[in-house]
Structure formats: structure tokens, C-alpha cells
Amino acid sequence: QVQLVESGGGLVQPGGSLRLSCAASRSTYSFNTMAWYRQAPGKQRELVAAITTGAVTNYADSVKGRFTISRDNAKNTVYLQLNSLKPEDTAVYYCYARNYASYWGQGTQVTVSS
């Protein structure tokens, strides 16, 4: 059973930064894609950023230039650096991994508010 454990969420003021981490219970090499999704209250879950084993990245238009996804295969961890945060970035952020199956973390809350 694969486990994904997110951390790093919290309350931050507009313009601030956070770094989210997602620790996997097995080698991240085993996943062809890892990603971060988010879900705000009353909205559907949406893709924020994704990264492949070849380090090809993909971002939602709303976060391009502000967020950066990266993976450290030696630590079995994927990161999401969130900069220039806006109130509309407030959501629960979920880690996702896929090989022949899909796996989700439990989520971490990010709240952007003054």
C-alpha cells in the first residue's frame, strides 16, 4: 500500500511563501507522474502542477511563474514551492502519484489571508 504524506501547509499573508512537501512510502522512481492538486470550498479539485520521472513539468495557468514543483528521488519526496501567494490560492492541497494505479495524500490546508 502506497502512502503519501503532505506537510508544510498553514496560514500566510498575501504575497507570502510556503513550501509543501509530499513524502512517499516507496521510491518516487516507481511513479511516472507526481502532482499537486487543490480543492477550494465549493469548487472541484484542480491540477496545480505535475512532474514526470523525466522532470518534465506542467502548471495550471493560474500558478505559472509563482509555483514550482520539484522532486527529490533520493528522499522519495515531491515539493511545491508557493510564492507570491494570493487569497484565491486558499485550498486544501493534495499530493498525487500514478504508476499503474493512482494514489492520493490526505491533504494539507493552505490559507492566504491578511
Side-chain angles (χ1 to χ4, degrees), residues 44-55:
Q44 289 188 332
R45 192 172 296 190
E46 63 174 359
L47 176 67
V48 176
I51 186 167
T52 68
T53 48

Side-chain angles (χ1 to χ4, degrees), residues 19 21 35-36 39 43 46-47 51 55 63 90 95 108-109:
R19 189 176 80 156
S21 299
W36 289 92
Q39 187 166 20
K43 295 187 177 181
E46 63 174 359
L47 176 67
I51 186 167
V63 307
T90 295
C95 183
T108 185
Q109 176 70 46

Side-chain angles (χ1 to χ4, degrees), residues 26-35 50-58 69-74 76-78 96-100:
R26 70 164 63 160
S27 171
T28 48
Y29 280 120
S30 67
F31 305 114
N32 50 39
T33 298
M34 298 193 73
I51 186 167
T52 68
T53 48
V56 176
T57 58
N58 181 45
I69 188 170
S70 60
R71 60 196 292 171
D72 185 338
N73 293 321
N76 296 336
T77 301
V78 174
Y96 169 85
R98 186 184 73 214
N99 45 31
Y100 300 104

